[in-house]
Amino acid sequence: MARIAYFGPEGTFTEQAARSLADDGDELIPFETIPLALSAVRKGETDSACVPVENSVEGVVPATLDGLAEQEPLIAGAEALLPVHFSVLTRPGATDIRTVASHPHALAQVRLWVEANLPGAKPVATSSTAAAAVAVQAGDFDAAVTAPVAVQHYPLEVRATEVADVRDARTRFLLVRKPHHPLPEPTGADRTSVVAAAANRTGALAELLTELASRGINLTRLDARPARGNFGEYRFFFDFEGHVAEPRIGDALAALRRRCRNVRFLGSHPRADGVPATSQASAGNEDFVEAADWVAAVRRGEQA
């Protein structure tokens, strides 16, 4: 039985994601913030942590990126992809809705719905969707925009469900743990993530992207975050197709390591959407193996 930290409290989308990634008998433990959930793994209080990493509408989750780039390394071993449709909860019998509380990402994804259905209601940001439910229960606000699972934890009334301005909005979550575990085996539909601190000079990012492109590697996400305590310098977060066990991916990581002052491997794992990696002529793994074998033969004097 494993202990899994997650960005809580109870009733968040992250709890739903953690449940989808957990095995029978695993214990789910909520933490108030993403840094606290990651810290629980680093301290050995839990075996892993489930945290959100990006949303198709609002983009990346900065707390997760910064938390993975700093302190003791953590490795993503799995991911979950959840459709993001919200429920609007109120205290039983409530009629006058003057305030609507939720996490800022959630409020942004239901803004049009709130304007049309709760005219005049003031949006109020909270630390999580579930924290909004707790505040409504306490009488601090009139309505909460939450994950559907929240109603199972809090004695509130569902005023509306399946609420979303963008119907196909999705959030991706990572299950991270300490790196001293075997990586998942390659499946052909994998994602590899790294963060690199490139030199602050003209063309530095272009050089890193060229290393991927020249090996036929498809980039699925690129983000830049400022390096804390060093104004003007940035870390680049890369997600790309493939698994570190593949020759072309390993070759690319080695090239990034040569070019950067610091590269941190953040994991290789199956993609939740099951999309297979793209393949280009002369850039398949077999091409890298054949080329390496040829160089080895030349060095042995067996082939010119």
Side-chain angles (χ1 to χ4, degrees), residues 216-260:
I217 296 172
N218 185 38
L219 190 70
T220 60
R221 183 175 63 88
L222 169 62
D223 293 287
R225 293 284 300 157
R228 295 186 183 182
N230 203 354
F231 184 77
E233 290 197 10
Y234 286 81
R235 301 187 185 99
F236 297 103
F237 293 81
F238 300 94
D239 281 356
F240 45 84
E241 295 177 350
H243 192 286
V244 67
E246 299 176 48
R248 66 181 185 135
I249 301 301
D251 195 60
L253 291 181
L256 294 179
R257 182 68 178 86
R258 289 194 303 270
R259 287 192 178 274
C260 296

Side-chain angles (χ1 to χ4, degrees), residues 119-185:
K122 177 184 177 182
V124 183
T126 57
S127 61
S128 69
T129 56
V134 172
V136 169
Q137 183 180 344
D140 297 332
F141 307 114
D142 300 318
V145 177
T146 71
V149 71
V151 75
Q152 300 177 21
H153 298 290
Y154 307 103
L156 298 174
E157 185 176 277
V158 179
R159 187 181 182 95
T161 192
E162 292 294 307
V163 174
D165 292 345
V166 180
R167 300 306 303 172
D168 61 349
R170 298 183 294 175
T171 297
R172 186 163 66 94
F173 300 83
L174 298 178
L175 188 68
V176 301
R177 61 189 180 185
K178 290 185 177 181
H180 309 299
H181 298 274
L183 293 174
E185 293 294 323

Side-chain angles (χ1 to χ4, degrees), residues 25-301:
D26 287 349
E27 181 183 3
L28 304 186
I29 305 172
F31 286 82
E32 185 176 351
T33 66
I34 290 172
L36 287 175
L38 297 177
S39 178
V41 184
R42 292 184 169 112
K43 292 178 179 179
E45 297 172 355
T46 64
D47 301 290
S48 58
C50 183
V51 291
V53 65
E54 65 173 329
N55 175 267
S56 61
V57 176
E58 289 300 299
V60 298
V61 181
T64 296
L65 296 190
D66 292 341
L68 294 177
E70 301 167 355
Q71 303 181 52
E72 180 185 345
L74 296 174
I75 302 296
E79 68 177 32
L81 195 62
L82 293 187
V84 181
H85 296 160
F86 299 92
S87 293
V88 178
L89 307 183
T90 64
R91 289 183 298 281
T95 56
D96 188 16
I97 308 300
R98 297 183 180 182
T99 53
V100 180
S102 195
H103 187 275
H105 278 197
L107 291 173
Q109 293 178 73
V110 299
R111 179 180 60 83
L112 297 178
W113 186 94
V114 170
E115 290 176 356
N117 294 274
L118 300 174
K122 177 184 177 182
V124 183
T126 57
S127 61
S128 69
T129 56
V134 172
V136 169
Q137 183 180 344
D140 297 332
F141 307 114
D142 300 318
V145 177
T146 71
V149 71
V151 75
Q152 300 177 21
H153 298 290
Y154 307 103
L156 298 174
E157 185 176 277
V158 179
R159 187 181 182 95
T161 192
E162 292 294 307
V163 174
D165 292 345
V166 180
R167 300 306 303 172
D168 61 349
R170 298 183 294 175
T171 297
R172 186 163 66 94
F173 300 83
L174 298 178
L175 188 68
V176 301
R177 61 189 180 185
K178 290 185 177 181
H180 309 299
H181 298 274
L183 293 174
E185 293 294 323
T187 66
D190 303 293
R191 190 191 315 272
T192 291
S193 303
V194 298
V195 55
N200 185 14
R201 58 180 175 79
T202 301
L205 176 58
E207 292 173 359
L208 302 186
L209 295 176
T210 298
E211 297 290 2
L212 300 178
S214 65
R215 292 165 175 82
I217 296 172
N218 185 38
L219 190 70
T220 60
R221 183 175 63 88
L222 169 62
D223 293 287
R225 293 284 300 157
R228 295 186 183 182
N230 203 354
F231 184 77
E233 290 197 10
Y234 286 81
R235 301 187 185 99
F236 297 103
F237 293 81
F238 300 94
D239 281 356
F240 45 84
E241 295 177 350
H243 192 286
V244 67
E246 299 176 48
R248 66 181 185 135
I249 301 301
D251 195 60
L253 291 181
L256 294 179
R257 182 68 178 86
R258 289 194 303 270
R259 287 192 178 274
C260 296
R261 293 184 294 102
N262 182 38
V263 176
R264 176 174 287 194
F265 174 67
L266 299 180
S268 286
H269 53 77
R271 292 179 58 158
D273 56 15
V275 175
T278 55
S279 179
Q280 298 182 13
S282 76
N285 286 309
E286 65 280 1
D287 298 304
F288 281 84
V289 172
E290 189 279 331
D293 290 344
W294 179 82
V295 170
V298 170
R299 287 170 174 168
R300 294 193 300 268

